[in-house]
Amino acid sequence: MLDRPTKPPLTIRLCQPRGFCAGVDRAIQIVVLALKKYGAPVYVRHEIVHNRYVVEGLQKLGAVFIEELSEIPPEHHDAPVVFSAHGVPKSVPADAQARNLFYLDATCPLVSKVHKQAMRHQRLGRHVVLIGHAGHPEVIGTMGQLPEGAVTLIESEEDVARFDPADPAALGFVTQTTLSVEDTAGVIHALQEKFPEIKAAAAESICYATTNRQEAVKETAIGADLFLVVGAPNSSNSMRLVEVAERAGAKMSLLVQRASEIPWERIGEIGTLGLSAGASAPEIIVDEIIDAFRERFDVTVDLAVTATETENFPVMRALRDVELTKADMAFVNG
């Protein structure tokens, strides 16, 4: 009897926390519950969260994704429309009201908090500096809370050097919630050096989930032969995790959306794999990736717990009379 070839050993350092944050979980629940309560179609403006697997799963349930409210046909104007977790400019709900649409706002409460911080700065007579990435839906939504010209977007320390405000003594800053803590610290330091009177937001803008996932990656990336982050290329928080892993000492750090994207030919011989998932990546794909490594390696999973998250953001009152079951969320949670 021939001996089977033995699989090489592999330790997977699995980050905890990882994956869905409370805001993402709430947003997906809102779409699922709206479909249960009102039936299909339920329209969703922009990707509810930045993850293709999630979007396709909701499409199978009857969600229709659009970029603009004008795409909703007249015969469906009584169907609900959901605004994504990233938040929207004030012009979007105003447009929905003008069209007599019924909308459900799934903006993450922590993004809404940044909106309020920006509005508070303006109310106190300050020009608002928003630290973030141009074109990101959250940035568009935050800038859209205030009148044209009331917000300046700063992406880098170079932008700070070029920034020449009308009144350097009347500035206040907020940040996109999904940025790298280190990168943001550098920009904030540059702003405070150049404009000593600039005011910070009343509370931290980068959300707890972003910070927690970055801290977990920092601890598990040290000495890892490979670090994989489950997430989408248009997911800001997922891309930041890849960068954090590289800086923390992983020999190679990659973003993958599915197990089918793992570049086995590039990986070669590895003994330690770090694994995390961005805040919009479902746990079912993490399981899929671990199974893919089990087919090729003798895997030991080492759960690296760096924080415990207990946050839970309830859905709006209009949906609280609908029961949400484990089976309803099985397409993302397994």
Side-chain angles (χ1 to χ4, degrees):
M1 183 174 173
L2 293 174
D3 292 333
R4 292 182 185 175
T6 56
K7 297 177 183 177
L10 176 69
T11 297
I12 297 180
R13 298 175 183 165
L14 182 60
C15 291
Q16 177 68 16
R18 63 182 179 278
F20 284 175
C21 61
V24 164
D25 204 31
R26 174 181 179 268
I28 296 168
Q29 288 178 22
I30 286 170
V31 180
V32 171
L33 291 170
L35 284 162
K36 288 187 76 172
K37 181 169 183 174
Y38 304 107
V42 167
Y43 287 88
V44 184
R45 186 187 179 278
H46 191 67
E47 290 185 344
I48 186 69
V49 296
H50 282 157
N51 189 274
R52 175 47 47 185
Y53 181 94
V54 172
V55 168
E56 290 175 352
L58 291 171
Q59 284 174 325
K60 290 173 185 174
L61 295 176
V64 178
F65 288 83
I66 58 174
E67 287 303 313
E68 299 299 338
L69 300 181
S70 58
E71 297 173 44
I72 301 175
E75 63 270 24
H76 288 166
H77 273 202
D78 59 343
V81 57
V82 180
F83 301 152
S84 81
H86 310 99
V88 295
K90 282 185 174 179
S91 59
V92 174
D95 185 25
Q97 289 173 349
R99 296 173 185 272
N100 292 317
L101 298 174
F102 167 50
Y103 67 86
L104 299 164
D105 189 353
T107 299
C108 172
L110 298 180
V111 173
S112 296
K113 183 179 79 171
V114 174
H115 292 176
K116 292 172 184 173
Q117 291 170 342
M119 289 186 283
R120 180 177 184 272
H121 278 318
Q122 192 210 24
R123 192 170 65 249
L124 293 173
R126 301 166 189 158
H127 181 80
V128 179
V129 175
L130 171 59
I131 303 168
H133 295 302
H136 190 279
E138 184 185 326
V139 166
I140 294 169
T142 300
M143 295 185 76
Q145 302 305 305
L146 298 175
E148 186 82 25
V151 185
T152 296
L153 178 64
I154 295 289
E155 296 189 80
S156 65
E157 293 177 41
E158 289 73 23
D159 286 349
V160 175
R162 290 188 290 267
F163 181 40
D164 184 22
D167 185 356
L171 300 174
F173 72 85
V174 295
T175 73
Q176 183 180 332
T177 63
T178 54
L179 298 180
S180 160
V181 176
E182 286 88 351
D183 290 348
T184 308
V187 176
I188 291 172
H189 178 73
L191 281 168
Q192 291 172 332
E193 283 279 300
K194 186 173 181 180
F195 308 108
E197 295 182 66
I198 193 169
K199 299 296 190 294
E204 176 61 68
S205 296
I206 296 177
C207 85
Y208 75 90
T210 298
T211 302
N212 287 350
R213 279 150 190 72
Q214 290 178 14
E215 289 300 319
V217 167
K218 280 182 201 173
E219 291 203 19
T220 52
I222 300 168
D225 299 309
L226 172 66
F227 203 102
L228 290 183
V229 175
V230 182
N234 61 339
S235 166
S236 175
N237 76 85
S238 297
M239 294 301 292
R240 301 294 81 73
L241 292 180
V242 176
E243 296 166 0
V244 169
E246 288 176 349
R247 285 201 292 258
K251 294 176 184 175
M252 184 189 306
S253 181
L254 301 171
L255 182 81
V256 292
Q257 298 191 76
R258 299 294 300 272
S260 59
E261 293 185 2
I262 300 172
W264 300 107
E265 70 286 349
R266 287 180 60 192
I267 289 174
E269 295 182 8
I270 60 172
T272 304
L273 169 72
L275 180 59
S276 187
S280 49
E283 184 66 11
I284 199 167
I285 300 181
V286 175
D287 294 339
E288 174 187 282
I289 286 173
I290 293 174
D291 289 343
F293 276 93
R294 287 192 193 279
E295 291 177 7
R296 295 164 174 82
F297 296 88
D298 180 12
V299 168
T300 300
V301 177
D302 179 9
L303 186 62
V305 181
T306 55
T308 300
E309 294 179 350
T310 58
E311 287 78 6
N312 176 51
F313 299 145
V315 301
M316 60 279 297
R317 291 185 183 278
L319 298 176
R320 290 181 196 171
D321 60 338
V322 187
E323 182 186 10
L324 184 74
T325 68
K326 188 175 179 180
D328 292 329
M329 299 292 285
F331 74 104
V332 287
N333 294 335

